[in-house]
Amino acid sequence: MLFNEVAQYYQKLEEVSSRLSMIDILSEMFSKTSKEEIKALIYLTQGALSPPFEGKEIGMAEKLVISSLAISTGAEQKTIEKLFSTTGDLGQTGEKLVITSKLKSFNSKKLTVLDLFESLTKISNTSGVGSKDIKIRLFAGLISNSSPIETRYIIRFSLGTLRLGLGDATILEALSKSITGNRDSKELLENGYNICGDLGKVAYILFDKGIKGIENMEVELFNPIRPELAERAKSFEEIIERMGVACSVEGKYDGLRAQLHMDKKKNKIEIFSRNLERMTLMFPDILKNAFSEINAESIIVEGEAIAYNENTEEFRPFQETIQRKRKHEVEEKSAEVPLHLFLFDIMYLNGKQLMSLPYEERRSKLEAVLVKRKMILPSAKIIAKTSKEIELFFNKEITEGLEGVVAKDLNSKYVAGARKFSWIKMKRSYRSELSDTVDLVIIGYFSGKGSRTEFGLGGLLAAVYNDKKDLFESITKIGTGFTEKQMLSLSELLGKIKTKKKPARVESTVEPDFWVDPKYVVEVRADEITRSPMHMCGKETYSQDEIGYALRFPRIVSDGVRDKKAEDATTTKEILEMFLLQKKKPLSD
Ligand code: ATP
């Protein structure tokens, strides 16, 4: 498939304002794609060169692109910079320059999707001394062989500003439609995606082996599994009611979720985050001990990595665990307060997938492989039959510095990528008011007025994610909780992702001064969830007469934006459940 054709589809995607039209355009594009091309096309369309856990980046800064444009179009750097300052989009700038360029390419071969993917991968792989110049030349070569519209998208891609507004679910539905003619196989495809975290792989299997291939997909080592998530409950009684006669109750560690994949024969270990990003290098302390502490040839386990002081037997606060997010702090911190890994699940052992076994069986397999229990241990756990037993354990865990407990259904499978009542979390912070925080997606912002003029940001318009509809529904404006520093950095971040109109997957009748791509997630605390006609959260048809849900007195509590994708924000369903929980009897202290 020629990239020129893909670029036309990208342009159409930018123009539409409904999610269903996006699916139509995408599925038409996919139906013209071959098995050999589909993986590359999926990654390109996601603005990437690999699945997220491989984290392959192209590494072109604006300056490098400008230098490349100067070579490929013969325009002066200054002219390019000037044009860029008027368009604000280097993609458009490049497009205009290619139209007026007097330099003609000697290469008459038209650019295919695979050519483009290969060239971009080559640029991405260029590193070390002199790599800047090589990247500039390679990129210039690519542009001089591209049409104006191709140039627009290649540049945006290289700068990470492609932003077609597509979610994973949109792509999955379009894939379903392109192969089967309708969107009905979306769920099946999603199951495949849940166990490999790689849309390119799912698409390839679908194109190669059809729906049967997807049904037969198996968990594979070093392909991260999308994590199972927990529901909330208001009371210990409710947990027992929902779980049946007995359940397992584990400590809820407030650290970093870590999914560890290990293959002893290959001498290989990888650790993935909740977002399926590879973060192996952040954990030298765990890597050092995994081979000796886990008795298995190959394994996928999941747990929480947390700073723990062995001398005082104290769990350290979350802030201490994440200090090692910055590279230079990793070694220092791992020596000072080594992280311990508290494992709570096992999905794969010695070549066998375990996800469909009941919790109890998985748990005993997990405990059996943890032979040393020094740095890598099983999570604390009891089997509870009454709400009183849960409460006692909860109080004990809180005293030890944990965040609360997670109750687990003894018979449940591991359900990848889903939030189900087979796991129920109970945190110390749950009270009658809404004191659990919510993670909201920023969909727009208001320019600063009065004392906020200098920050360029007066407040945010925020949304929850409706995972059934794959849409972002407005839920609140946020005007408080920001520090000055935060306002400045948010206005800079948001300024870069402003859009001319409301993005296609956003539902809101509140109009901000500027719409932005749903990309950044912030943590927000509010006093209450209220019913309100003003916001779209929870409305069936989004009509004016319906009443949705909104937040009362929202304030931002995260330091900056959270390390979560827009689709990992709090969902509409969770808001509805939290709304009901507010009305129930509060927890006693
Ligand atoms: P929260 O901010 O409440 O942790 P979340 O959206 O990150 O919420 P949830 O699935 O809702 O994640 O809550 C469960 C989280 O608690 C898991 O993501 C996991 O990282 C953490 N956790 C800590 N201890 C356990 C445990 N024993 N079992 C399961 N999850 C645990």
Side-chain angles (χ1 to χ4, degrees), residues 424-442:
I424 304 179
K425 61 182 173 181
M426 173 69 84
K427 289 205 258 180
R428 185 171 166 235
S429 60
Y430 295 179
R431 289 287 189 279
S432 57
E433 78 275 27
L434 172 64
S435 51
D436 192 14
T437 57
V438 285
D439 292 322
L440 303 183
V441 188
I442 305 174

Side-chain angles (χ1 to χ4, degrees), residues 221-236:
L221 273 176
F222 307 109
N223 265 202
I225 298 165
R226 297 182 76 210
E228 173 158 1
L229 302 170
E231 286 281 359
R232 294 176 180 80
K234 192 66 185 178
S235 66
F236 301 116

Side-chain angles (χ1 to χ4, degrees), residues 567-586:
E567 285 83 1
D568 290 326
T570 300
T571 59
T572 307
K573 182 170 162 264
E574 285 181 85
I575 294 288
L576 266 54
E577 284 162 3
M578 287 166 92
F579 177 75
L580 293 177
L581 288 179
Q582 283 179 172
K583 297 186 161 173
K584 295 206 176 150
K585 202 172 108 249

Side-chain angles (χ1 to χ4, degrees), residues 79-114:
T79 320
I80 304 176
E81 279 161 13
K82 204 163 158 214
L83 188 58
F84 177 33
S85 69
T86 55
T87 60
D89 170 10
L90 209 43
Q92 249 182 328
T93 307
E95 182 176 16
K96 285 190 178 163
L97 287 167
V98 171
I99 293 173
T100 51
S101 168
K102 302 236 166 20
L103 301 181
K104 288 283 164 255
S105 161
F106 294 109
N107 190 348
S108 58
K109 190 174 166 271
K110 294 215 164 101
L111 192 68
T112 66
V113 168
L114 288 181

